[in-house]
Amino acid sequence: MAQPTIAIIGAGQAGFQVAASLRDLHYNARVVIVGDEPHAPYQRPPLSKGYLLGEVDDSQVTLRPAAFYAQHQIELIIGKRAVAIDRTRRKVGLEDDSVIEYDHLVLATGARNRPLPVPGADLQNVFFLRTLDEANRLRERMSDAKTAVVIGAGFIGLEFAASAAKTGMEVTVLDVADRPMARALSKTMSAVFAREHEKAGVNLVFNTQVMRLLGENGRVTGVETVDGRVMPADLVVIGIGVIPNVELAATCDLPVENGIVVDRFLQTSDPHISAIGDVAAHENPYAHGTRVRLESVQNAADQARCVAHRIAGQPAAYSALPWFWSNQGNLKLQMTGLPTSGCEEVLRGDPNGTVCSVFLFRDDKLVCVETLNRPADHMLGRRLLTNRVVLTPQQAGDLNCDLKALLPKPAAAAAPGS
Ligand SMILES: Cc1cc2nc3c(=O)[nH]c(=O)nc-3n(C[C@H](O)[C@H](O)[C@H](O)COP(=O)(O)OP(=O)(O)OC[C@H]3O[C@@H](n4cnc5c(N)ncnc54)[C@H](O)[C@@H]3O)c2cc1C
């Protein structure tokens, strides 16, 4: 019998991991990854951190060396875009008119930068930071820029700001919100980050919007806000979020709603097509019954493993606990669980320093733990959440309370011969 073909669209974190996991599971199939970027799969997290500072090089960003794909018989087609899916005949068409027939198709198309719809956004030295090519262009410009304006105080904007400030650049970060990482982080932790970024020399400007980018001879020279302020800039970084790459799915009539809609098994409405990673709108058990789209390495890798197991005949609903990290200069933020609006915020530790945690409760139930430079609390938070340990906000805030003691005791090892 002919081998089945598993086609994976998107050569990012999620696409790579499905292929690697299928091989780990010794699944006997033709495995093809198609990616439109001109690079073998690489990691994005270093791009806004060590890579910009030259602390991490290309070989450390690549997920696996070229030999890996040959050794594992994974066909890697890079620099080509998939443009159409024929669900009836189970075929994917690529932009060069080549066609891949599939038995199962995995959509791991990720997300793209949300554009900034203001005049001047197309000037030279205005950058986004999602791909390796974008990071390379930005890094080159950073070598002689003296002032930078970052539009968007989200994770990527602030990671860049911290890196740029380290090089001695004068950095201003603007946001329409009233605090950093407002969509994802508690007010308590946000306040700590605002203070520490300012201490590191980053100028934070909130509750404002960009009216236009100013330029001379085609190059950006500054940013003007709606309230009339002008901030000079040798370079501008736009980090105002992403748009999921759903078009391929939408054009073949798969349901799409802020991402490609998948069920608990990460399957689309077509049993021969799955969607994973940044592009997948999935029902997450930690999302309080709602459908979410998560943008994290953990989510991309764990969803890929989940789908690989299903393809290999070991189906299970996706149930991994979400977690995430963001390194902003010397500030190592880790988050686990998923917060919702209106959570009670309980601080554990000293908010005036750079080592503390915030435990978030909804209806007296722990739903999220944010830690700053406190990896042990992060790991503990993960165990508390996966074990659904009942703890009170008072216990969480009390440094004398040993939270580890609340974890279920490991089952006693069976006595030999019993
Ligand atoms: C600068 C940066 C820093 C980050 N830092 C962190 C961090 O510190 N911690 C963390 O947990 N997460 C971080 N993330 C998020 C994390 O990298 C993403 O969640 C993860 O890469 C998602 O993987 P993915 O495979 O779903 O999507 P992607 O990595 O975006 O890969 C999707 C790929 O599919 C390609 N593609 C799209 N459409 C097509 C098509 N039609 N045909 C062929 N190819 C196509 C895209 O070009 C892309 O290469 C960061 C992201 C960025 C950009």
Side-chain angles (χ1 to χ4, degrees):
M1 208 173 74
Q3 269 190 330
T5 296
I6 311 302
I8 301 160
I9 309 301
Q13 187 86 43
F16 157 78
Q17 188 62 55
V18 188
S21 295
L22 285 170
R23 290 305 183 227
D24 286 347
L25 294 165
H26 306 291
Y27 184 62
N28 187 13
R30 177 184 176 216
V31 176
V32 189
I33 309 179
V34 179
D36 61 358
E37 290 186 62
H39 306 283
Y42 60 88
Q43 320 172 49
R44 298 190 193 280
L47 301 184
S48 46
K49 309 176 181 80
Y51 190 76
L52 291 177
L53 298 174
E55 293 164 356
V56 171
D57 66 26
D58 284 40
S59 66
Q60 291 163 296
V61 169
T62 301
L63 276 161
R64 292 290 183 281
F68 171 87
Y69 299 94
Q71 272 162 14
H72 291 81
Q73 294 181 315
I74 296 170
E75 292 172 45
L76 190 56
I77 301 174
I78 52 175
K80 273 187 205 165
R81 196 168 177 71
V83 290
I85 301 170
D86 178 341
R87 285 170 49 194
T88 315
R89 294 187 183 79
R90 285 195 227 147
K91 289 179 180 179
V92 184
L94 308 192
E95 61 185 344
D96 61 356
D97 292 333
S98 57
V99 169
I100 300 169
E101 293 185 22
Y102 64 83
D103 293 276
H104 197 87
L105 178 65
V106 182
L107 298 176
T109 48
R112 60 180 178 274
N113 298 308
R114 182 177 292 284
L116 181 71
V118 299
D122 56 351
L123 286 162
Q124 270 178 48
N125 298 335
V126 177
F127 298 93
F128 287 95
L129 185 45
R130 182 160 186 94
T131 66
L132 187 54
D133 291 346
E134 286 166 348
N136 282 330
R137 286 194 288 270
L138 176 57
R139 187 163 74 166
E140 204 183 307
R141 180 68 189 116
M142 279 174 76
S143 58
D144 63 350
K146 301 213 166 19
T147 51
V149 173
V150 181
I151 302 172
F155 295 112
I156 291 173
L158 289 172
E159 287 177 2
F160 166 77
S163 302
K166 253 191 184 178
T167 69
M169 217 183 285
E170 202 176 293
V171 187
T172 301
V173 181
L174 305 176
D175 203 297
V176 67
D178 60 355
R179 60 190 179 89
M181 300 167 280
R183 278 189 306 135
L185 205 60
S186 68
K187 285 187 179 154
T188 311
M189 194 57 96
S190 241
V192 176
F193 272 76
R195 184 195 66 220
E196 292 302 320
H197 277 295
E198 279 177 338
K199 259 200 212 167
V202 176
N203 178 27
L204 299 174
V205 183
F206 294 111
N207 301 304
T208 193
Q209 243 173 309
V210 174
M211 191 162 86
R212 58 183 168 146
L213 306 191
L214 308 168
E216 257 174 48
N217 302 326
R219 292 183 179 191
V220 78
T221 55
V223 175
E224 185 178 344
T225 58
V226 285
D227 43 7
R229 277 180 281 187
V230 171
M231 285 121 195
D234 296 330
L235 68 85
V236 168
V237 173
I238 302 175
I240 56 170
V242 294
I243 300 173
N245 292 321
V246 297
E247 291 73 9
L248 200 53
T251 50
C252 67
D253 293 329
L254 291 172
V256 159
E257 209 184 289
N258 180 32
I260 304 172
V261 174
V262 290
D263 66 11
R264 291 187 310 130
F265 293 83
L266 309 174
Q267 187 178 289
T268 67
S269 61
D270 180 333
H272 296 286
I273 306 182
S274 303
I276 55 171
D278 280 15
V279 79
H282 67 282
E283 287 167 36
N284 190 298
Y286 292 91
H288 326 292
T290 56
R291 190 177 284 136
V292 291
R293 202 176 56 70
L294 299 177
E295 295 160 22
S296 72
V297 168
Q298 171 278 319
N299 180 68
D302 282 341
Q303 291 197 336
R305 289 187 192 101
C306 176
V307 164
H309 276 84
R310 172 158 49 79
I311 293 171
Q314 301 166 34
Y318 181 66
S319 62
L321 173 72
W323 56 265
F324 179 80
W325 80 96
S326 171
N327 295 350
Q328 302 173 20
N330 300 327
L331 308 172
K332 186 172 172 72
L333 172 71
Q334 290 172 291
M335 302 168 68
T336 182
L338 292 173
T340 52
S341 55
C343 279
E344 180 183 354
E345 303 180 6
V346 178
L347 178 78
R348 190 171 171 88
D350 175 10
N352 299 312
T354 53
V355 182
C356 63
S357 308
V358 176
F359 286 62
L360 298 173
F361 289 83
R362 193 173 90 148
D363 302 331
D364 284 334
K365 209 175 122 215
L366 182 68
V367 292
C368 181
V369 179
E370 302 167 347
T371 60
L372 172 58
N373 296 333
R374 218 174 192 176
D377 264 14
H378 173 71
M379 295 314 292
L380 176 64
R382 285 207 221 170
R383 292 172 70 194
L384 292 169
L385 286 162
T386 25
N387 287 293
R388 300 187 190 276
V389 168
V390 177
L391 78 160
T392 64
Q394 290 69 29
Q395 286 172 312
D398 178 0
L399 279 176
N400 293 318
C401 175
D402 178 11
L403 300 183
K404 241 193 216 165
L406 302 174
L407 289 167
K409 303 280 167 284
S418 64

